[in-house]
Amino acid sequence: AQSVSQHNHHVILSEAASLELGCNYSYGGTVNLFWYVQYPGQHLQLLLKYFSGDPLVKGIKGFEAEFIKSKFSFNLRKPSVQWSDTAEYFCAVNLAGGSYIPTFGRGTSLIVHP
Amino acid sequence: NAGVTQTPKFQVLKTGQSMTLQCAQDMNHNSMYWYRQDPGMGLRLIYYSASEGTTDKGEVPNGYNVSRLNKREFSLRLESAAPSQTSVYFCASSISYEQYFGPGTRLTVT
């Protein structure tokens, strides 16, 4: 069965620390990859996406993610977090050319202390 | 351009009561979805509609029904609410692989 794993359920950082959130998937075939963010009290919004091409993807607010096909991973990174990055982060995957329905990971709650 | 809208924002129900959650999108998207979000469980798909006139079960459909009223609107109905349905419900739409989410409905069943 297709699955998406986010290994860090809760992450607590101080401002200016570096961030890396893990995402691994088990899918056969070519995949589309997403990171969504949910700020407190708000709805999910797209942070970045990868369909093809350069495996290093830049998103909004200084976030980036790297697709490593051999490791089935799509980790999210930010060199220096801010208090405003406090949010829940969801990795999502679907099969390229297949259904539009993604499989979501369980989410990582990030708290950034000022 | 409001995107995806949901009503109500908050609702408290007693066990056994029924209610309908409304969702509408103004982006001319073909596909619409209903998810529930529970702590530590991420997002779980309840039902989806790939196009107007079609609906299909997702991962957790029991206790719910849906109606794709037209291309814009996709409603979720709880016929007899149970405490296990206490959750935050998100509607989403898509025209391709990227999903656009509504603001959510926080439902408590007592």
Side-chain angles (χ1 to χ4, degrees):
Chain A
Q2 298 154 346
S3 66
V4 178
S5 298
Q6 292 182 241
H7 308 296
N8 318 103
H9 299 296
H10 299 280
V11 174
I12 300 173
L13 296 173
S14 298
E15 274 194 321
S18 64
L19 171 72
E20 180 159 3
L21 301 182
C23 174
N24 287 90
Y25 62 91
S26 64
Y27 264 73
T30 305
V31 293
N32 299 318
L33 300 153
F34 306 84
W35 278 97
Y36 288 87
V37 60
Q38 184 181 27
Y39 297 105
Q42 296 188 27
H43 61 282
L44 277 82
Q45 54 189 288
L46 184 70
L47 198 55
L48 48 79
K49 61 187 176 187
Y50 173 80
F51 286 1
S52 64
D54 187 344
L56 186 60
V57 180
K58 305 275 187 198
I60 59 172
K61 301 187 180 185
F63 284 91
E64 65 179 30
E66 185 175 13
F67 171 48
I68 302 179
K69 190 175 180 180
S70 60
K71 293 185 178 181
F72 299 90
S73 70
F74 190 55
N75 292 354
L76 181 70
R77 300 195 293 245
K78 186 171 184 179
S80 176
V81 294
Q82 301 172 313
W83 174 77
S84 59
D85 293 324
T86 294
E88 190 139 13
Y89 293 82
F90 294 92
C91 181
V93 180
N94 59 23
L95 209 55
S99 165
Y100 290 162
I101 302 170
T103 300
F104 283 90
R106 292 193 170 188
T108 297
S109 173
L110 171 66
I111 296 174
V112 180
H113 289 301
Chain B
N1 191 343
V4 180
T5 57
Q6 291 181 236
T7 55
K9 286 188 167 48
F10 300 94
Q11 184 70 49
V12 179
L13 291 178
K14 294 187 188 306
T15 297
Q17 287 185 317
S18 62
M19 79 161 296
T20 299
L21 281 65
Q22 306 286 355
C23 173
Q25 52 93 8
D26 61 3
M27 296 175 283
N28 203 34
H29 287 172
N30 289 326
S31 301
M32 297 186 74
Y33 313 81
W34 276 105
Y35 293 92
R36 60 178 288 172
Q37 183 183 28
D38 302 291
M41 300 296 289
L43 285 164
R44 293 183 290 171
L45 183 66
I46 304 171
Y47 271 93
Y48 67 99
S49 171
S51 61
E52 186 179 353
T54 69
T55 60
D56 284 288
K57 294 179 181 179
E59 182 186 352
V60 288
N62 290 346
Y64 305 95
N65 284 302
V66 290
S67 295
R68 183 74 183 266
L69 304 168
N70 47 54
K71 192 170 186 178
R72 289 187 65 248
E73 298 171 288
F74 188 40
S75 63
L76 178 72
R77 182 159 178 85
L78 285 70
E79 291 291 351
S80 178
S84 60
Q85 294 178 304
T86 292
S87 187
V88 181
Y89 292 85
F90 287 100
C91 178
S93 70
S94 73
I95 198 162
S96 181
Y97 294 104
E98 179 181 340
Q99 302 218 323
Y100 295 80
F101 288 85
T105 296
R106 186 173 293 274
L107 175 67
T108 302
V109 183
T110 61

